[in-house]
Amino acid sequence: MNVSDASVDFGHLVRRRPSAVVRPRSAAEIAGVVRSAAADGVPVAARGRGHSGYGQALTDGVVADMSTLAAVHEAGDDRIVVDAGAGWDAVLAAAWERGRTPPVLTDYLGLSVGGTLSAGGIGGTSFRHGLQTDTVLSLEVVTGDGVVRTCGPGDELFAAVLGGLGQCGIITRATLRLVPAPAHVRRQELDYDTVAAAALDQVRFISEDRFDFVQGQVRFGGSGRRVFLETYSEGGGDLPFLEFQHRLDAAEALLTGTGAWFHPHPWWNCFLPEPAAVDFLSTLVERLRPEDLGEAGCVLFYPVFTGRVRAPLVRLPAERIAFLVALLRFPRTTPRWRPGRSRRTAASTRRPASWVE
């Protein structure tokens, strides 16, 4: 990653050019960067996969490219130890070798562990397990004073870093809980006439614990608007579990191939209490037109029991059930701009990591 790459994020809506990009090889090197930058009054931002939508991870200071810290260190029956720059695809692959899986996986697996733990991390199993922040057993963190610390449940630092958007420390390593993974799942798509009926059924399904995965979608295509729930049940199905978890790989390949992945595409996410979410979704879907989201865009809605989300900085409504409502838009046109490659690097003996100017 060079400075040009680090100047924009996934949303391609905001640009902010950093003064430098570092490629740390260890938590100790990140700590050295933080101390050096703090002495000069320069902000530091950690960047995993840069998947934020509106410049949240951009800075005019120093960007720490976490892709150089992406190792899977240890996988057991009930836990896995990984660097913060590791992708959830790599975590799943290592866990799968032992017949295990993280309890909660995001739809798109090309996100970094540190990135989603700094934000929350929601998936179709969150109604049962909470967010990805609720599956963490311990963390290694570099704090603002440039010190490497370890923390776990009950520690103030642990509570501040999970969902803390990188403002309370840089996550460098995480120990994550694992659960047995099914070999196959029984996947279903349930169609509805209205989004209100779909959302109300979601609430019923999670309250009855009827399925192991529940997600709502609205898509617009050549046949018009489609409202449906995607569910799966573990055991007895014929769809391989890994195939389901990688279901977005083909879409990513198509969108990167056409260039839409690199074009500005605003995404919007919001947690709403159940009654307000149903009303909002109903009004929203009636007003949306196909061109508002693009052919690859969609509306997603996930229910979650708020009492199962423990990270205090992940702010949720006070009601028992909340919905994450997401509007995902992709453009139709191919962009003029694409991420470039690093053209030159410079090393500094004063700074312990590799820097790109």
Side-chain angles (χ1 to χ4, degrees), residues 24-27 30 47-49 65-74 80-91 94 111-114 171-173:
R25 298 176 293 270
S26 66
I30 293 181
R47 180 182 176 115
R49 303 295 173 87
D65 178 3
M66 302 298 288
S67 65
T68 52
L69 285 175
V72 176
H73 295 279
E74 179 185 348
I80 188 168
V81 182
V82 299
D83 285 341
W88 286 98
D89 47 1
V91 175
L111 306 174
S112 70
V113 169
I171 299 172
T172 54
R173 186 173 295 185

Side-chain angles (χ1 to χ4, degrees), residues 173-196:
R173 186 173 295 185
T175 301
L176 308 170
R177 184 163 61 91
L178 297 179
V179 296
H184 296 82
V185 297
R186 182 185 296 110
R187 177 178 177 271
Q188 299 182 62
E189 290 186 355
L190 310 175
D191 286 281
Y192 292 83
D193 293 329
T194 68
V195 69

Side-chain angles (χ1 to χ4, degrees), residues 37-52:
D40 296 333
V42 176
V44 177
R47 180 182 176 115
R49 303 295 173 87
H51 206 78
S52 56

Side-chain angles (χ1 to χ4, degrees), residues 248-271:
L248 296 187
D249 289 4
E252 179 190 5
L254 175 63
L255 291 168
T256 54
T258 62
W261 194 264
F262 310 113
H263 195 280
H265 44 270
W267 286 14
W268 181 86
N269 294 267
C270 183
F271 280 108

Side-chain angles (χ1 to χ4, degrees), residues 10-13 53-54 263-268 292-293 327-331:
F10 179 69
H12 294 280
L13 299 168
Y54 201 71
H263 195 280
H265 44 270
W267 286 14
W268 181 86
D292 292 331
L293 298 177
L327 279 71
L328 313 185
R329 180 184 184 275
F330 276 108

